[in-house]
Amino acid sequence: MDGPVVLAGDEGYDEERSGFELTVTHHPAVIVGVTRAADVVEAVRWAADRGLPVAVQATGHGASVPADDAVLLNTRRLDGVSVDPVAGTATIEAGVRWERVIAAAEPHGLVPLSGSAPFVGAVSFTLGGGLGLMSRAHGLAWDHVVAFDVVTADGQLRHVTPDNEPDLFWGVRGSKGNLGIVTSLTVRLFPVERIYGGRLFLDGEHLRAALDTWTGWTATLDDETSTSFFMTQFPQDDTLPESLNGRYVLQIRLAYVGTDLEVGRRRFAELRDALPPAFQDTLAVLPYRESGSVHGDPPSPVPSQSRTVRLARPDAGLLDVLVERAGSGSVFGVEVRLLGGALDRAAPVPGAARRPRGAVLNVYVASLVPEPAEAPAIAAAQQAFLDALAPWSVPGAELNFLAGVNTGVHLTRDAYLPEDYERLRQLKARWDPQNRFCFNPNIPPADS
């Protein structure tokens, strides 16, 4: 191995095993800092010879279960990015974050279908579907994978395309690491240089009126407009800006990705004029490299607990639940993203990340967990909120929003269409019959 091989007690063990999600702590038998695809091959073969499971971590944003007594492959050193401006594609290695892909593509007037946070791993994001600012215009990130290199549980490195391994190409795109370890993938890029977007910050006292306005406005949108809102109680903390310290705040996020940014400016002005007054407005023309400012996701590791659910079109009853259950004083924040557009259309090349139809909104509920003893009460509060949303919930889930203790086999199963889930179990039985790749939203092999 060119990179480090680290055991418990060795210098660097804690650094190599740590990730973004601090409520999941790995205790692997050995950590391998892979630097090339051949290292992944050797590590998988070594683990198979000893009957050990294998886990993978780049940034650790989507950590699900602790990789205890496993071989943990840290892929952050697999950091190559190459852009083919003629083909309009980028080839991305497993440890690369979206911000590096954006920087490499931007000089060519191209951008990837990255997520709301540019500091997450590009490959893992794509393998889980990939919902971002341009998804209503172009679909999920996995829709635009051209090829990938994957190490399967038998220790073989395979170059996979729709032509040479159609079943594996179908299954890897959306199975979140269940069928192999992707060392690199090639994705299509899109000709976008700038977007119009940002956030409107409203005081919580205007919550219901603002949600009524936002809901009616979203019914008029085209596919090039994306929007979400985030409602949360900020703590009393002198490190926060004075405008947020101890305040309940509604953030409305907006992004227009069409060619004529004036269309976006006019559309968002219509919304702003209809809303209660915002105490902060960041709407502006942005180079795509600043697209992360639209959501402003926290870049530092945090201990958190989250849940997710998809909902049908909102009505007055749903808005009542949001205000009553997630309003001022709530122990969790709630993000609601508008779906639809290209997300409801068939993908150019079908994949396992296909979601059941009928969802208009994706809801993500998240809480900070400063002390482990607080986790049960937080979990109970989140579950009560999801129970209240049940009349509007529809099947399916975004895999990239499943993390931590809320990543069970039943939640993973329900994220897929039933026929797709059974097909994935058959593929798992073929490509990973021992379920060696199990530290993920796990899909057990058929007949296991």
Side-chain angles (χ1 to χ4, degrees), residues 81-423:
V81 180
S82 62
V83 172
D84 183 338
V86 176
T89 60
T91 299
I92 309 163
E93 290 191 331
V96 173
R97 304 181 186 214
W98 276 126
E99 55 200 1
R100 289 203 55 227
V101 185
I102 294 168
E106 188 178 50
H108 306 287
L110 299 169
V111 301
L113 290 185
S114 53
S116 59
F119 44 81
V120 303
V123 168
S124 181
F125 171 91
T126 301
L127 298 183
L131 183 64
L133 297 181
M134 297 201 295
S135 292
R136 282 175 45 82
H138 302 294
L140 296 171
W142 68 265
D143 288 336
H144 301 282
V145 175
V146 175
F148 53 80
D149 295 322
V150 59
V151 178
T152 46
D154 57 1
Q156 298 296 315
L157 176 63
R158 305 173 190 276
H159 183 69
V160 179
T161 70
D163 298 322
N164 68 353
E165 286 283 4
D167 282 348
L168 196 56
F169 189 80
W170 177 89
V172 170
R173 295 172 305 122
S175 61
K176 199 69 174 175
N178 270 278
L179 301 180
I181 300 172
V182 172
T183 59
S184 71
L185 54 75
T186 300
V187 295
R188 295 185 186 89
L189 303 173
F190 293 85
V192 174
E193 295 184 2
R194 299 177 301 160
I195 65 173
Y196 186 76
R199 287 179 279 175
L200 301 175
F201 292 75
L202 286 77
D203 190 87
E205 70 177 0
H206 303 303
L207 183 59
R208 178 54 194 267
L211 294 186
D212 277 330
T213 300
W214 182 87
T215 300
W217 177 77
T218 59
T220 69
L221 297 185
D222 60 24
D223 297 354
E224 294 173 320
T225 304
S226 69
T227 182
S228 66
F229 63 82
F230 179 60
M231 39 197 290
T232 191
Q233 175 72 55
F234 283 92
Q236 290 285 350
D237 186 340
D238 291 340
T239 65
L240 290 170
E242 184 178 350
S243 62
L244 302 179
N245 191 358
R247 191 174 192 175
Y248 189 88
V249 174
L250 172 68
Q251 297 177 35
I252 297 180
R253 290 91 164 259
L254 301 161
Y256 181 77
V257 301
T259 55
D260 184 356
L261 298 187
E262 283 301 314
V263 174
R265 193 190 303 272
R266 290 194 299 270
R267 187 161 294 142
F268 298 161
E270 292 170 1
L271 173 65
R272 181 172 47 208
D273 292 345
L275 285 167
F279 65 83
Q280 186 175 348
D281 179 345
T282 69
L283 289 173
V285 175
L286 302 171
Y288 193 79
R289 63 178 177 275
E290 296 179 15
S291 60
S293 66
V294 173
H295 278 238
D297 293 321
S300 302
V302 292
S304 66
Q305 190 161 295
S306 60
R307 299 292 298 273
T308 188
V309 65
R310 304 191 326 151
L311 304 179
R313 181 165 296 282
D315 57 23
L318 172 59
L319 299 185
D320 287 341
V321 170
L322 289 175
V323 173
E324 293 168 6
R325 298 278 186 154
S328 180
S330 175
V331 297
F332 47 79
V334 176
E335 178 195 76
V336 178
R337 298 195 191 199
L338 182 68
L339 303 176
L343 296 168
D344 286 339
R345 296 194 288 270
V349 180
R354 183 173 54 144
R355 303 290 186 255
R357 302 292 187 197
V360 176
L361 304 173
N362 187 78
V363 177
Y364 178 67
V365 186
S367 306
L368 293 179
V369 187
E371 298 294 336
E374 299 178 28
I378 289 172
Q382 290 184 353
Q383 185 58 55
F385 177 60
L386 262 61
D387 289 343
L389 295 177
W392 297 272
S393 65
V394 295
E398 298 295 331
L399 285 177
N400 289 341
F401 289 84
L402 296 177
V405 296
N406 295 306
T407 309
V409 171
H410 69 290
L411 290 172
T412 303
R413 178 196 63 212
D414 292 343
Y416 296 95
L417 292 169
E419 61 270 27
D420 289 349
Y421 185 73
E422 289 308 313
R423 183 178 175 186

